[in-house]
Amino acid sequence: MKCLTVLFTIITLSECLFKISLERRKSLRKILREENLLEDFLLKNRYGFYCQYLPFTKNGQVSKEPLLDFLDLEYYGTIYIGTPPQKFSVVFDTGSSDLWVPSVKCSSEACLKHRRFDSSKSSTFRRTGKHFHIEYGTGSMKGILVFDTVKVSSLSISHQGFGLSTTEPGKAFVNTPFDGILGLAYPSLSEEKATPFFDSLMKEGLLEKHQFSVYLSRKKRGSEFIFGGIDQSHFTGRINWIPVNYQSGFWQIALDRRNKAAALVVSDTHLMAVGT
């Protein structure tokens, strides 16, 4: 059985790469199984508990499609927020557009079990007074929109909008190994109505190529998230491009028998298929 490497990108110019090491930790499924909580959790949460049930319209009718198997999510990276920087573990998520981490003022069980951002310790913190609310498949989270310096690898945005969760009710995020989420989808999906981090990098001119890619290894170490291009050493074979329909705000493509590949790179206008 072949191992597939999944890559995501957004097209443009040259070859300056910024790499973020990803760590493969225990999945939530493994954690719950070890604590004898998996069976009860699956009975109460039959669908993917991270996914937002967003409506898709077809022929004038609205349908909703739940996504499954988020229990096996295992790869996480590190970012830094504030001055001096505070460290957080996040999921680099191509299915959402918002960046958020727990606030030190959040007393929900999920917040208390993770790193929390303390705005009083950051000299560059700015509040807005704006609130946001994200509904997930089961449970939800509420927070406030704020601004501060966000650093990923050697890339830094000095006035990046992001969310601080003030409440995370239920069990959805209690046992997750990550603290928050860094969204990489289109700005139209943002519940915070803030510029996504990757769009900020492009606007600031910090990337020679407007691309990001992901290399996933089965080992605990060795996986990478890459801003600014693609590491050619991670794959072999030819590159094919397939048009992307991005009107929904998601990376969305049409699949048929011609669109076969061992690896995929999603772009703002095309999808690159890499054969191995």
Side-chain angles (χ1 to χ4, degrees), residues 154-196:
S154 58
L155 296 166
S156 181
I157 298 294
S158 60
H159 193 64
Q160 175 63 45
F162 67 99
L164 288 178
S165 66
T166 53
T167 179
E168 297 179 27
K171 300 290 185 179
F173 295 107
V174 170
N175 292 297
T176 56
F178 58 86
D179 304 308
I181 295 174
L182 192 154
L184 293 160
Y186 290 98
S188 61
L189 286 186
S190 174
E191 297 290 342
E192 300 166 355
K193 305 306 178 187
T195 302

mmCIF file of all heavy atoms in Angstrom, residues 154-196:
data_model
loop_
_atom_site.group_PDB
_atom_site.id
_atom_site.type_symbol
_atom_site.label_atom_id
_atom_site.label_comp_id
_atom_site.label_asym_id
_atom_site.label_seq_id
_atom_site.Cartn_x
_atom_site.Cartn_y
_atom_site.Cartn_z
ATOM 1 N N SER A 154 10.250 31.865 10.809
ATOM 2 C CA SER A 154 10.885 33.176 10.887
ATOM 3 C C SER A 154 9.994 34.269 10.314
ATOM 4 O O SER A 154 10.417 35.415 10.156
ATOM 5 C CB SER A 154 12.224 33.158 10.139
ATOM 6 O OG SER A 154 12.041 32.793 8.785
ATOM 7 N N LEU A 155 8.738 33.926 9.999
ATOM 8 C CA LEU A 155 7.782 34.880 9.455
ATOM 9 C C LEU A 155 7.002 35.532 10.590
ATOM 10 O O LEU A 155 6.483 34.855 11.476
ATOM 11 C CB LEU A 155 6.813 34.180 8.510
ATOM 12 C CG LEU A 155 7.431 33.578 7.241
ATOM 13 C CD1 LEU A 155 6.439 32.642 6.576
ATOM 14 C CD2 LEU A 155 7.854 34.696 6.282
ATOM 15 N N SER A 156 6.893 36.854 10.556
ATOM 16 C CA SER A 156 6.222 37.563 11.636
ATOM 17 C C SER A 156 5.295 38.638 11.077
ATOM 18 O O SER A 156 5.682 39.418 10.206
ATOM 19 C CB SER A 156 7.262 38.215 12.564
ATOM 20 O OG SER A 156 6.637 38.891 13.627
ATOM 21 N N ILE A 157 4.056 38.662 11.579
ATOM 22 C CA ILE A 157 3.094 39.716 11.252
ATOM 23 C C ILE A 157 2.852 40.514 12.536
ATOM 24 O O ILE A 157 2.425 39.970 13.558
ATOM 25 C CB ILE A 157 1.761 39.134 10.740
ATOM 26 C CG1 ILE A 157 1.991 38.334 9.452
ATOM 27 C CG2 ILE A 157 0.751 40.242 10.506
ATOM 28 C CD1 ILE A 157 2.440 39.162 8.267
ATOM 29 N N SER A 158 3.112 41.813 12.499
ATOM 30 C CA SER A 158 3.108 42.620 13.717
ATOM 31 C C SER A 158 1.714 43.031 14.181
ATOM 32 O O SER A 158 1.523 43.373 15.344
ATOM 33 C CB SER A 158 3.962 43.875 13.524
ATOM 34 O OG SER A 158 3.451 44.657 12.454
ATOM 35 N N HIS A 159 0.729 43.030 13.284
ATOM 36 C CA HIS A 159 -0.621 43.465 13.666
ATOM 37 C C HIS A 159 -1.630 42.471 13.099
ATOM 38 O O HIS A 159 -2.486 42.826 12.292
ATOM 39 C CB HIS A 159 -0.882 44.880 13.148
ATOM 40 C CG HIS A 159 -2.104 45.529 13.737
ATOM 41 N ND1 HIS A 159 -2.230 45.823 15.082
ATOM 42 C CD2 HIS A 159 -3.269 45.925 13.172
ATOM 43 C CE1 HIS A 159 -3.400 46.394 15.305
ATOM 44 N NE2 HIS A 159 -4.054 46.457 14.161
ATOM 45 N N GLN A 160 -1.517 41.213 13.529
ATOM 46 C CA GLN A 160 -2.355 40.150 13.002
ATOM 47 C C GLN A 160 -3.632 39.997 13.829
ATOM 48 O O GLN A 160 -3.588 39.893 15.052
ATOM 49 C CB GLN A 160 -1.598 38.818 13.009
ATOM 50 C CG GLN A 160 -2.421 37.617 12.599
ATOM 51 C CD GLN A 160 -2.920 37.701 11.168
ATOM 52 O OE1 GLN A 160 -2.164 38.061 10.268
ATOM 53 N NE2 GLN A 160 -4.178 37.380 10.950
ATOM 54 N N GLY A 161 -4.763 39.971 13.157
ATOM 55 C CA GLY A 161 -6.015 39.714 13.839
ATOM 56 C C GLY A 161 -6.173 38.236 14.138
ATOM 57 O O GLY A 161 -5.868 37.389 13.302
ATOM 58 N N PHE A 162 -6.623 37.910 15.343
ATOM 59 C CA PHE A 162 -6.868 36.516 15.708
ATOM 60 C C PHE A 162 -7.892 36.481 16.838
ATOM 61 O O PHE A 162 -8.254 37.518 17.411
ATOM 62 C CB PHE A 162 -5.574 35.805 16.121
ATOM 63 C CG PHE A 162 -4.955 36.299 17.401
ATOM 64 C CD1 PHE A 162 -5.147 35.636 18.602
ATOM 65 C CD2 PHE A 162 -4.167 37.449 17.405
ATOM 66 C CE1 PHE A 162 -4.568 36.095 19.782
ATOM 67 C CE2 PHE A 162 -3.591 37.920 18.577
ATOM 68 C CZ PHE A 162 -3.796 37.239 19.769
ATOM 69 N N GLY A 163 -8.362 35.299 17.154
ATOM 70 C CA GLY A 163 -9.377 35.161 18.179
ATOM 71 C C GLY A 163 -8.833 34.610 19.476
ATOM 72 O O GLY A 163 -7.923 33.779 19.484
ATOM 73 N N LEU A 164 -9.388 35.089 20.579
ATOM 74 C CA LEU A 164 -9.140 34.514 21.893
ATOM 75 C C LEU A 164 -10.444 33.886 22.365
ATOM 76 O O LEU A 164 -11.460 34.586 22.502
ATOM 77 C CB LEU A 164 -8.689 35.583 22.890
ATOM 78 C CG LEU A 164 -7.286 36.152 22.713
ATOM 79 C CD1 LEU A 164 -7.027 37.230 23.759
ATOM 80 C CD2 LEU A 164 -6.232 35.060 22.818
ATOM 81 N N SER A 165 -10.453 32.577 22.569
ATOM 82 C CA SER A 165 -11.679 31.940 23.020
ATOM 83 C C SER A 165 -11.937 32.307 24.476
ATOM 84 O O SER A 165 -11.042 32.239 25.316
ATOM 85 C CB SER A 165 -11.598 30.422 22.854
ATOM 86 O OG SER A 165 -10.607 29.872 23.704
ATOM 87 N N THR A 166 -13.169 32.702 24.758
ATOM 88 C CA THR A 166 -13.569 33.049 26.115
ATOM 89 C C THR A 166 -14.428 31.953 26.735
ATOM 90 O O THR A 166 -14.600 31.908 27.951
ATOM 91 C CB THR A 166 -14.345 34.373 26.128
ATOM 92 O OG1 THR A 166 -15.434 34.292 25.187
ATOM 93 C CG2 THR A 166 -13.426 35.526 25.722
ATOM 94 N N THR A 167 -14.964 31.076 25.887
ATOM 95 C CA THR A 167 -15.688 29.906 26.376
ATOM 96 C C THR A 167 -15.640 28.804 25.329
ATOM 97 O O THR A 167 -15.798 29.070 24.129
ATOM 98 C CB THR A 167 -17.156 30.240 26.728
ATOM 99 O OG1 THR A 167 -17.819 29.052 27.174
ATOM 100 C CG2 THR A 167 -17.906 30.793 25.539
ATOM 101 N N GLU A 168 -15.379 27.576 25.767
ATOM 102 C CA GLU A 168 -15.357 26.396 24.911
ATOM 103 C C GLU A 168 -16.193 25.314 25.605
ATOM 104 O O GLU A 168 -15.660 24.407 26.234
ATOM 105 C CB GLU A 168 -13.928 25.908 24.675
ATOM 106 C CG GLU A 168 -13.047 26.905 23.933
ATOM 107 C CD GLU A 168 -11.626 26.410 23.744
ATOM 108 O OE1 GLU A 168 -11.421 25.172 23.711
ATOM 109 O OE2 GLU A 168 -10.709 27.247 23.664
ATOM 110 N N PRO A 169 -17.520 25.425 25.521
ATOM 111 C CA PRO A 169 -18.382 24.495 26.251
ATOM 112 C C PRO A 169 -18.295 23.075 25.706
ATOM 113 O O PRO A 169 -17.887 22.853 24.572
ATOM 114 C CB PRO A 169 -19.783 25.083 26.034
ATOM 115 C CG PRO A 169 -19.670 25.840 24.751
ATOM 116 C CD PRO A 169 -18.279 26.390 24.729
ATOM 117 N N GLY A 170 -18.693 22.120 26.521
ATOM 118 C CA GLY A 170 -18.714 20.724 26.089
ATOM 119 C C GLY A 170 -17.343 20.083 26.123
ATOM 120 O O GLY A 170 -16.396 20.608 26.704
ATOM 121 N N LYS A 171 -17.237 18.921 25.488
ATOM 122 C CA LYS A 171 -16.025 18.106 25.527
ATOM 123 C C LYS A 171 -15.222 18.135 24.228
ATOM 124 O O LYS A 171 -14.214 17.449 24.115
ATOM 125 C CB LYS A 171 -16.400 16.656 25.838
ATOM 126 C CG LYS A 171 -17.104 16.458 27.174
ATOM 127 C CD LYS A 171 -16.153 16.689 28.334
ATOM 128 C CE LYS A 171 -16.811 16.373 29.663
ATOM 129 N NZ LYS A 171 -15.883 16.578 30.808
ATOM 130 N N ALA A 172 -15.665 18.912 23.245
ATOM 131 C CA ALA A 172 -15.056 18.841 21.912
ATOM 132 C C ALA A 172 -13.551 19.048 21.914
ATOM 133 O O ALA A 172 -12.819 18.354 21.221
ATOM 134 C CB ALA A 172 -15.723 19.867 20.989
ATOM 135 N N PHE A 173 -13.039 20.015 22.697
ATOM 136 C CA PHE A 173 -11.613 20.326 22.672
ATOM 137 C C PHE A 173 -10.875 19.939 23.955
ATOM 138 O O PHE A 173 -9.706 20.248 24.111
ATOM 139 C CB PHE A 173 -11.416 21.819 22.411
ATOM 140 C CG PHE A 173 -11.884 22.269 21.058
ATOM 141 C CD1 PHE A 173 -13.041 23.029 20.941
ATOM 142 C CD2 PHE A 173 -11.203 21.919 19.914
ATOM 143 C CE1 PHE A 173 -13.499 23.441 19.698
ATOM 144 C CE2 PHE A 173 -11.639 22.327 18.666
ATOM 145 C CZ PHE A 173 -12.793 23.080 18.554
ATOM 146 N N VAL A 174 -11.561 19.259 24.858
ATOM 147 C CA VAL A 174 -10.967 18.966 26.160
ATOM 148 C C VAL A 174 -9.717 18.106 26.055
ATOM 149 O O VAL A 174 -8.687 18.389 26.672
ATOM 150 C CB VAL A 174 -12.003 18.287 27.092
ATOM 151 C CG1 VAL A 174 -11.322 17.768 28.363
ATOM 152 C CG2 VAL A 174 -13.103 19.276 27.460
ATOM 153 N N ASN A 175 -9.762 17.032 25.271
ATOM 154 C CA ASN A 175 -8.650 16.078 25.208
ATOM 155 C C ASN A 175 -7.754 16.231 23.987
ATOM 156 O O ASN A 175 -6.920 15.370 23.720
ATOM 157 C CB ASN A 175 -9.205 14.651 25.256
ATOM 158 C CG ASN A 175 -9.815 14.321 26.606
ATOM 159 O OD1 ASN A 175 -9.136 14.318 27.619
ATOM 160 N ND2 ASN A 175 -11.119 14.067 26.626
ATOM 161 N N THR A 176 -7.929 17.302 23.222
ATOM 162 C CA THR A 176 -7.111 17.471 22.025
ATOM 163 C C THR A 176 -5.681 17.867 22.392
ATOM 164 O O THR A 176 -5.464 18.644 23.324
ATOM 165 C CB THR A 176 -7.696 18.554 21.106
ATOM 166 O OG1 THR A 176 -7.824 19.776 21.845
ATOM 167 C CG2 THR A 176 -9.058 18.132 20.574
ATOM 168 N N PRO A 177 -4.675 17.365 21.653
ATOM 169 C CA PRO A 177 -3.278 17.716 21.936
ATOM 170 C C PRO A 177 -2.926 19.147 21.523
ATOM 171 O O PRO A 177 -1.894 19.660 21.910
ATOM 172 C CB PRO A 177 -2.483 16.713 21.099
ATOM 173 C CG PRO A 177 -3.457 15.636 20.738
ATOM 174 C CD PRO A 177 -4.775 16.313 20.648
ATOM 175 N N PHE A 178 -3.751 19.799 20.713
ATOM 176 C CA PHE A 178 -3.444 21.152 20.253
ATOM 177 C C PHE A 178 -4.197 22.194 21.066
ATOM 178 O O PHE A 178 -5.249 21.935 21.635
ATOM 179 C CB PHE A 178 -3.777 21.300 18.765
ATOM 180 C CG PHE A 178 -5.211 20.997 18.417
ATOM 181 C CD1 PHE A 178 -6.190 21.970 18.499
ATOM 182 C CD2 PHE A 178 -5.577 19.730 18.003
ATOM 183 C CE1 PHE A 178 -7.506 21.693 18.187
ATOM 184 C CE2 PHE A 178 -6.892 19.435 17.680
ATOM 185 C CZ PHE A 178 -7.861 20.417 17.776
ATOM 186 N N ASP A 179 -3.635 23.417 21.084
ATOM 187 C CA ASP A 179 -4.247 24.520 21.825
ATOM 188 C C ASP A 179 -5.275 25.268 20.990
ATOM 189 O O ASP A 179 -6.312 25.686 21.498
ATOM 190 C CB ASP A 179 -3.172 25.515 22.283
ATOM 191 C CG ASP A 179 -2.076 24.854 23.105
ATOM 192 O OD1 ASP A 179 -2.424 24.151 24.075
ATOM 193 O OD2 ASP A 179 -0.887 25.013 22.762
ATOM 194 N N GLY A 180 -4.960 25.476 19.711
ATOM 195 C CA GLY A 180 -5.835 26.264 18.854
ATOM 196 C C GLY A 180 -5.726 25.854 17.400
ATOM 197 O O GLY A 180 -5.167 24.804 17.072
ATOM 198 N N ILE A 181 -6.243 26.705 16.529
ATOM 199 C CA ILE A 181 -6.314 26.413 15.094
ATOM 200 C C ILE A 181 -5.796 27.602 14.306
ATOM 201 O O ILE A 181 -6.088 28.761 14.641
ATOM 202 C CB ILE A 181 -7.761 26.100 14.680
ATOM 203 C CG1 ILE A 181 -8.235 24.808 15.358
ATOM 204 C CG2 ILE A 181 -7.893 25.974 13.166
ATOM 205 C CD1 ILE A 181 -9.702 24.482 15.125
ATOM 206 N N LEU A 182 -5.014 27.329 13.255
ATOM 207 C CA LEU A 182 -4.588 28.355 12.310
ATOM 208 C C LEU A 182 -5.222 28.028 10.967
ATOM 209 O O LEU A 182 -4.824 27.080 10.299
ATOM 210 C CB LEU A 182 -3.063 28.419 12.199
ATOM 211 C CG LEU A 182 -2.483 29.634 11.464
ATOM 212 C CD1 LEU A 182 -1.056 29.928 11.949
ATOM 213 C CD2 LEU A 182 -2.459 29.428 9.947
ATOM 214 N N GLY A 183 -6.244 28.809 10.580
ATOM 215 C CA GLY A 183 -6.986 28.545 9.353
ATOM 216 C C GLY A 183 -6.272 29.059 8.116
ATOM 217 O O GLY A 183 -5.660 30.122 8.133
ATOM 218 N N LEU A 184 -6.389 28.297 7.018
ATOM 219 C CA LEU A 184 -5.685 28.611 5.772
ATOM 220 C C LEU A 184 -6.619 28.675 4.563
ATOM 221 O O LEU A 184 -6.157 28.709 3.428
ATOM 222 C CB LEU A 184 -4.593 27.573 5.521
ATOM 223 C CG LEU A 184 -3.436 27.594 6.520
ATOM 224 C CD1 LEU A 184 -2.693 26.258 6.505
ATOM 225 C CD2 LEU A 184 -2.487 28.737 6.210
ATOM 226 N N ALA A 185 -7.925 28.694 4.794
ATOM 227 C CA ALA A 185 -8.877 28.775 3.688
ATOM 228 C C ALA A 185 -9.072 30.236 3.274
ATOM 229 O O ALA A 185 -8.403 31.135 3.778
ATOM 230 C CB ALA A 185 -10.198 28.132 4.093
ATOM 231 N N TYR A 186 -10.012 30.479 2.389
ATOM 232 C CA TYR A 186 -10.236 31.826 1.876
ATOM 233 C C TYR A 186 -10.847 32.749 2.939
ATOM 234 O O TYR A 186 -11.570 32.292 3.832
ATOM 235 C CB TYR A 186 -11.146 31.773 0.649
ATOM 236 C CG TYR A 186 -10.485 31.172 -0.557
ATOM 237 C CD1 TYR A 186 -10.690 29.841 -0.899
ATOM 238 C CD2 TYR A 186 -9.642 31.939 -1.360
ATOM 239 C CE1 TYR A 186 -10.070 29.280 -2.007
ATOM 240 C CE2 TYR A 186 -9.020 31.394 -2.471
ATOM 241 C CZ TYR A 186 -9.236 30.056 -2.793
ATOM 242 O OH TYR A 186 -8.619 29.508 -3.884
ATOM 243 N N PRO A 187 -10.604 34.068 2.845
ATOM 244 C CA PRO A 187 -11.114 35.019 3.840
ATOM 245 C C PRO A 187 -12.634 34.996 3.995
ATOM 246 O O PRO A 187 -13.148 35.331 5.059
ATOM 247 C CB PRO A 187 -10.642 36.376 3.302
ATOM 248 C CG PRO A 187 -9.411 36.059 2.504
ATOM 249 C CD PRO A 187 -9.693 34.718 1.868
ATOM 250 N N SER A 188 -13.349 34.598 2.957
ATOM 251 C CA SER A 188 -14.814 34.598 3.023
ATOM 252 C C SER A 188 -15.354 33.636 4.072
ATOM 253 O O SER A 188 -16.501 33.769 4.513
ATOM 254 C CB SER A 188 -15.403 34.240 1.650
ATOM 255 O OG SER A 188 -14.975 32.939 1.245
ATOM 256 N N LEU A 189 -14.550 32.665 4.511
ATOM 257 C CA LEU A 189 -14.991 31.708 5.528
ATOM 258 C C LEU A 189 -14.731 32.190 6.951
ATOM 259 O O LEU A 189 -15.141 31.536 7.906
ATOM 260 C CB LEU A 189 -14.291 30.359 5.340
ATOM 261 C CG LEU A 189 -14.728 29.484 4.175
ATOM 262 C CD1 LEU A 189 -14.018 28.138 4.246
ATOM 263 C CD2 LEU A 189 -16.231 29.273 4.182
ATOM 264 N N SER A 190 -14.074 33.319 7.105
ATOM 265 C CA SER A 190 -13.684 33.778 8.441
ATOM 266 C C SER A 190 -14.890 34.214 9.266
ATOM 267 O O SER A 190 -15.654 35.101 8.867
ATOM 268 C CB SER A 190 -12.702 34.935 8.335
ATOM 269 O OG SER A 190 -12.421 35.476 9.608
ATOM 270 N N GLU A 191 -15.070 33.601 10.431
ATOM 271 C CA GLU A 191 -16.109 34.009 11.368
ATOM 272 C C GLU A 191 -15.665 35.245 12.146
ATOM 273 O O GLU A 191 -16.489 36.018 12.628
ATOM 274 C CB GLU A 191 -16.417 32.866 12.346
ATOM 275 C CG GLU A 191 -16.972 31.610 11.699
ATOM 276 C CD GLU A 191 -18.378 31.789 11.176
ATOM 277 O OE1 GLU A 191 -19.047 32.757 11.601
ATOM 278 O OE2 GLU A 191 -18.810 30.978 10.339
ATOM 279 N N GLU A 192 -14.352 35.430 12.272
ATOM 280 C CA GLU A 192 -13.822 36.591 12.994
ATOM 281 C C GLU A 192 -13.841 37.854 12.136
ATOM 282 O O GLU A 192 -13.708 38.959 12.650
ATOM 283 C CB GLU A 192 -12.381 36.319 13.428
ATOM 284 C CG GLU A 192 -12.212 35.128 14.334
ATOM 285 C CD GLU A 192 -10.761 34.699 14.473
ATOM 286 O OE1 GLU A 192 -9.880 35.274 13.778
ATOM 287 O OE2 GLU A 192 -10.503 33.790 15.266
ATOM 288 N N LYS A 193 -13.963 37.658 10.811
ATOM 289 C CA LYS A 193 -13.891 38.761 9.845
ATOM 290 C C LYS A 193 -12.530 39.452 9.908
ATOM 291 O O LYS A 193 -12.415 40.672 9.759
ATOM 292 C CB LYS A 193 -15.025 39.781 10.077
ATOM 293 C CG LYS A 193 -16.414 39.174 10.076
ATOM 294 C CD LYS A 193 -16.696 38.366 8.822
ATOM 295 C CE LYS A 193 -18.079 37.734 8.853
ATOM 296 N NZ LYS A 193 -18.312 36.814 7.708
ATOM 297 N N ALA A 194 -11.497 38.659 10.127
ATOM 298 C CA ALA A 194 -10.125 39.158 10.149
ATOM 299 C C ALA A 194 -9.373 38.594 8.953
ATOM 300 O O ALA A 194 -9.768 37.570 8.374
ATOM 301 C CB ALA A 194 -9.429 38.742 11.441
ATOM 302 N N THR A 195 -8.286 39.235 8.564
ATOM 303 C CA THR A 195 -7.456 38.730 7.470
ATOM 304 C C THR A 195 -6.730 37.471 7.931
ATOM 305 O O THR A 195 -6.016 37.515 8.935
ATOM 306 C CB THR A 195 -6.419 39.780 7.045
ATOM 307 O OG1 THR A 195 -7.094 40.981 6.649
ATOM 308 C CG2 THR A 195 -5.580 39.273 5.883
ATOM 309 N N PRO A 196 -6.900 36.342 7.242
ATOM 310 C CA PRO A 196 -6.186 35.121 7.628
ATOM 311 C C PRO A 196 -4.680 35.329 7.588
ATOM 312 O O PRO A 196 -4.172 36.170 6.831
ATOM 313 C CB PRO A 196 -6.641 34.099 6.579
ATOM 314 C CG PRO A 196 -7.975 34.601 6.122
ATOM 315 C CD PRO A 196 -7.855 36.098 6.133
#
